[in-house]
Amino acid sequence: MTTPTRIARRHPDDLIIGLVSVSDRAATGVYQDQGLPALREWLGTALVSPWQAVDRLIPDEPARISETLIELVDIRGCDLVLTTGGTGPARRDVTPEATLAVGTKEMPGFGEQMRQISLRFVPTAILSRQVAVIRETPSHAALIVNLPGQPKSIRETLEGLKGDDGTVIAPGIFAAIPYCIDLIGGPYAETRPEIIDAFRPKSARRTPQS
């Protein structure tokens, strides 16, 4: 077996993203995973700056989830890890616990905002237990965010909700992710404002090149 190595950036602003789908049935081939394709499609639409992604499809096993997150951050060098699935109240839904186990800082605002967005559609959004953490090593740090399992919910929580006139009704969580990555020493990620307008304080914005 080949030992995983650190992913090389092709550009200083290259964002390295780990994508993890947590599902017993998809991992064993009972049905086709939809989470990873949905994440790749959305990122391809939303990001302007360069990015690379590495995928993992794994079962709902706490140790396996934690090991995968550690591998993606510590060994592969991901700046951002997005997980999908395993965040409900069922006994096999253990993604939040496995994520908290590897984090060095909890970032509760992400889970709070995701539930606020989902509550606009279904009252059962209060059963969702998504969390987000920072994982820090001596030389690297990454943001890890749990997302819902359904492609529609993934898009809504990342992108937020807009009215017919384009007015933002509920900001998507990805609006805060590029600046968070700045603060932990990662690359400068830029988005397409018509999809998701990444927010940065004026002092943190790059001056446009002439």
Side-chain angles (χ1 to χ4, degrees):
M1 181 181 291
T2 304
T3 303
T5 57
R6 200 171 193 85
I7 298 171
R9 296 191 200 277
R10 299 168 298 193
H11 183 278
D13 289 337
D14 210 6
L15 183 65
I16 310 299
I17 308 173
L19 304 176
V20 183
S21 184
V22 182
S23 169
D24 285 332
R25 290 181 293 172
T28 55
V30 174
Y31 66 75
Q32 187 172 4
D33 172 66
Q34 297 182 338
L36 296 175
L39 284 168
R40 279 187 171 271
E41 180 182 4
W42 190 86
L43 290 166
T45 302
L47 286 170
V48 174
S49 49
W51 62 283
Q52 300 182 59
V54 54
D55 297 348
R56 295 288 184 269
L57 175 57
I58 58 175
D60 292 274
E61 298 171 0
R64 181 73 179 278
I65 298 168
S66 291
E67 289 167 4
T68 299
L69 297 177
I70 291 171
E71 179 229 336
L72 290 172
V73 176
D74 298 14
I75 299 174
R76 304 293 275 165
C78 291
D79 309 296
L80 170 67
V81 179
L82 301 174
T83 77
T84 175
T87 60
R91 292 192 179 191
R92 292 289 290 177
D93 289 336
V94 293
T95 303
E97 286 76 17
T99 301
L100 291 169
V102 304
T104 52
K105 288 188 177 79
E106 190 174 356
M107 304 292 289
F110 285 99
E112 292 166 2
Q113 182 62 9
M114 282 188 275
R115 283 181 281 278
Q116 286 298 314
I117 291 170
S118 297
L119 275 168
R120 293 177 177 268
F121 299 98
V122 291
T124 50
I126 60 174
L127 303 179
S128 300
R129 303 187 304 112
Q130 293 102 318
V131 301
V133 301
I134 303 294
R135 176 171 173 81
E136 299 160 304
T137 71
S139 60
H140 182 62
L143 172 65
I144 304 173
V145 183
N146 299 157
L147 297 172
Q150 296 301 316
K152 180 176 181 290
S153 298
I154 290 171
R155 186 184 71 252
E156 288 166 351
T157 53
L158 288 171
E159 192 172 317
L161 307 177
K162 296 178 182 177
D164 294 337
D165 61 353
T167 302
V168 175
I169 299 172
I173 63 164
F174 208 89
I177 285 178
Y179 185 49
C180 181
I181 293 172
D182 292 351
L183 293 173
I184 60 176
Y188 191 93
E190 296 184 276
T191 61
R192 291 182 173 86
E194 66 272 20
I195 303 298
I196 182 73
D197 193 4
F199 177 82
R200 286 180 171 93
K202 289 183 179 179
S203 60
R205 297 175 197 166
R206 283 186 179 170
T207 302
Q209 298 296 313
S210 57

